[in-house]
Amino acid sequence: MMPLIVAAVAAAAAAIAPQVAINAAMADSAAGWNAGDLARFTAIYAPDAVYVAGDKVVRGKPAIAERYARSFTGGGNIRGRLSFQPLAWRPLSAVHVLHVARWTLTPTTGAPQTGLTTLLFERRKDGWKIISDHSS
């Protein structure tokens, strides 16, 4: 009976570990946005990531960074403070996790903007990276 309990605990820990790592990566990405550090904000993306928003499909981390670059001026981010609220997780394999979160941009003046993002993460040698981002 004890080996089954140990196996169940190990399985639960393995399932939680990606969430902890991904939450940390998401928090660091938001901190990069808030500090006006584009490289830190986009460090969460894999080199071959795909980003979808509206009617645009952007391929590759450099193109994703270029899309966001206009928001980073004067040592900050002109669109407001970014935060994420995790909403759903779905492990797809040992190296893939689907994550749904609410993003919120809170400007210094005016109403906050918010939307949803569906992220496909892949565990790579350098950690969990976004390989697909669909944000609305």
Side-chain angles (χ1 to χ4, degrees):
M1 187 66 148
M2 187 60 94
L4 289 177
I5 293 171
V6 171
V9 169
I16 293 170
Q19 290 180 11
V20 171
I22 289 168
N23 277 338
M26 295 284 289
D28 192 57
S29 180
W33 176 279
N34 296 334
D37 184 341
L38 179 61
R40 184 175 174 192
F41 169 68
T42 58
I44 198 169
Y45 288 95
D48 56 340
V50 174
Y51 176 85
V52 179
D55 63 349
K56 303 286 187 222
V57 177
V58 180
R59 289 176 167 74
K61 184 176 174 176
I64 294 167
E66 183 179 324
R67 183 185 184 288
Y68 280 110
R70 64 182 165 266
S71 296
F72 290 79
T73 61
N77 192 296
I78 61 172
R79 295 179 60 201
R81 294 194 56 79
L82 175 65
S83 62
F84 293 105
Q85 176 189 6
L87 299 176
W89 296 92
R90 182 176 185 130
L92 302 175
S93 73
V95 297
H96 293 99
V97 173
L98 185 67
H99 176 50
V100 179
R102 173 167 300 285
W103 58 264
T104 301
L105 283 174
T106 305
T108 53
T109 61
Q113 298 174 317
T114 188
L116 298 175
T117 186
T118 302
L119 306 169
L120 180 56
F121 279 87
E122 182 174 77
R123 183 174 33 215
R124 297 199 169 178
K125 290 179 184 177
D126 56 345
W128 287 93
K129 299 295 179 183
I130 296 170
I131 60 171
S132 180
D133 175 345
H134 185 197
S135 294
S136 61

